[in-house]
């Protein structure tokens, strides 16, 4: 039952994201997008947000936990959108990073690295490995690509009813992953003065392997300039 509720929360989150990105435009404020996500969450059946929404655009994307401000979106900028909802007491947590118009080459390079790193993490999550092994697998890949110093947080955390959920996927955690655990997988690269990219799914261990519960695409979404 708990797994079914988290899956439903993720399904609603996918729907909210799809509805929200159609409204993003040059000149829109980070605050406005955050408010829109909350409105769409409630209108789609959520009881509220799981945590304070993160919206960080342009150079502010280098802040892993950048809360929204009155900064407006500009052409060529990347926008990190990290939000989750609460549905019947259970939570979701998803991050996607999108671009308005044509991406800058270095940011597109960073995006591709994070996307590959995130998929490596999802593929490595399985019953019997330790949490720190998963973190190390992804961290080593980002390091090999030359951006190791810019991945500044743990790979993920447990999902369920809220704070303190296990397992934690970080460099210290010796937790052995087990069937039916749910955790986020959210690598990121954050370059001061340039911007940042994070991609996150909630991943369920089912039949021994990691299964992402979020269905929103992870190919870079380049929004029409409007």
């Amino acid at each position: 039952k708990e797994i079914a509720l988290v899956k439903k929360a993720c399904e609603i989150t996918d729907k909210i994201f799809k509805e929200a990105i159609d409204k993003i435009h040059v000149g829109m404020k980070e605050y406005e997008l955050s408010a829109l996500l909350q409105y769409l969450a409630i209108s789609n059946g959520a009881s509220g947000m799981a945590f304070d929404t993160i919206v960080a655009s342009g150079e502010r994307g280098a802040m892993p936990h950048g809360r929204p401000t009155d900064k407006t979106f500009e052409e060529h900028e990347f926008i990190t959108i990290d939000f989750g909802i609460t549905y019947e007491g259970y939570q979701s947590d998803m991050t996607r990073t999108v671009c308005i118009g044509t991406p800058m080459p270095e940011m597109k390079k960073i995006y591709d690295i994070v996307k590959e790193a995130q998929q490596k993490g999802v593929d490595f999550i399985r019953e019997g490995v330790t949490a720190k092994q998963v973190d190390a697998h992804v961290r080593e890949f980002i390091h090999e690509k030359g951006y190791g110093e810019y991945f500044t947080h743990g790979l993920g955390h447990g999902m369920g009813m809220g704070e303190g959920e296990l397992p934690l996927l970080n460099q210290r955690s010796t937790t052995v992953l087990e069937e039916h655990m749910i955790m986020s997988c959210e690598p990121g690269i954050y370059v001061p003065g340039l911007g940042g990219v994070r991609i996150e799914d909630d991943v369920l261990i089912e039949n021994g392997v990691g299964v992402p519960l979020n269905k929103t695409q992870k190919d870079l979404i380049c929004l029409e300039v409007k």
Side-chain angles (χ1 to χ4, degrees):
K1 181 182 178 182
E2 289 185 307
I3 290 170
L5 289 170
V6 174
K7 283 183 175 179
K8 180 63 176 179
C10 290
E11 180 184 316
I12 294 170
T13 301
D14 286 328
K15 187 170 186 288
I16 293 165
F17 182 84
K18 184 177 180 180
E19 293 177 9
I21 61 169
D22 288 340
K23 303 288 193 296
I24 294 174
H25 58 85
V26 170
M28 185 183 201
K29 294 178 180 179
E30 293 173 344
Y31 280 141
E32 291 181 81
L33 179 53
S34 177
L36 176 61
L37 291 167
Q38 182 159 2
Y39 168 76
L40 291 173
I42 301 301
S43 63
N44 278 289
S47 60
M49 308 309 285
F51 52 88
D52 290 340
T53 296
I54 293 168
V55 179
S57 60
E59 291 185 8
R60 293 192 72 253
M63 304 167 62
H65 303 104
R67 304 302 177 189
T69 68
D70 62 359
K71 182 194 171 301
T72 56
F73 302 145
E74 298 177 22
E75 190 173 352
H76 309 302
E77 284 190 334
F78 278 60
I79 307 167
T80 299
I81 306 164
D82 183 348
F83 74 104
I85 65 158
T86 300
Y87 176 77
E88 294 190 14
Y90 287 81
Q91 298 182 344
S92 64
D93 187 357
M94 183 178 81
T95 308
R96 293 292 185 270
T97 304
V98 302
C99 182
I100 295 185
T102 306
M104 294 181 290
E106 185 172 359
M107 287 300 297
K108 178 62 166 65
K109 175 185 175 185
I110 288 171
Y111 189 95
D112 291 342
I113 292 168
V114 173
K115 179 189 169 193
E116 188 172 351
Q118 201 268 348
Q119 189 61 53
K120 284 181 177 293
V122 171
D123 293 342
F124 198 81
I125 290 171
R126 65 176 75 93
E127 186 176 21
V129 303
T130 64
K132 67 180 182 180
Q133 284 178 304
V134 185
D135 181 281
H137 183 69
V138 175
R139 200 169 297 277
E140 286 165 12
F141 173 76
I142 293 175
H143 179 76
E144 287 168 5
K145 295 295 184 179
Y147 288 92
E149 67 183 291
Y150 302 113
F151 178 24
T152 54
H153 55 73
L155 180 64
H157 54 81
M159 288 300 306
M161 300 187 79
E163 293 296 322
E165 294 280 357
L166 297 175
L168 295 177
L169 303 183
N170 60 33
Q171 293 168 288
R172 300 174 302 281
S173 176
T174 56
T175 301
V176 177
L177 302 187
E178 298 178 22
E179 181 79 0
H180 295 155
M181 283 182 171
I182 305 177
M183 66 216 71
S184 68
C185 179
E186 50 183 303
I189 293 174
Y190 314 96
V191 183
L194 180 65
V197 173
R198 179 165 66 255
I199 300 172
E200 173 187 18
D201 289 323
D202 300 329
V203 182
L204 165 69
I205 298 181
E206 189 171 50
N207 298 319
V209 299
V211 178
L213 301 181
N214 308 90
K215 306 305 181 187
T216 298
Q217 73 175 67
K218 287 179 274 193
D219 291 336
L220 178 61
I221 296 172
C222 294
L223 302 171
E224 181 182 347
V225 178
K226 54 188 177 181

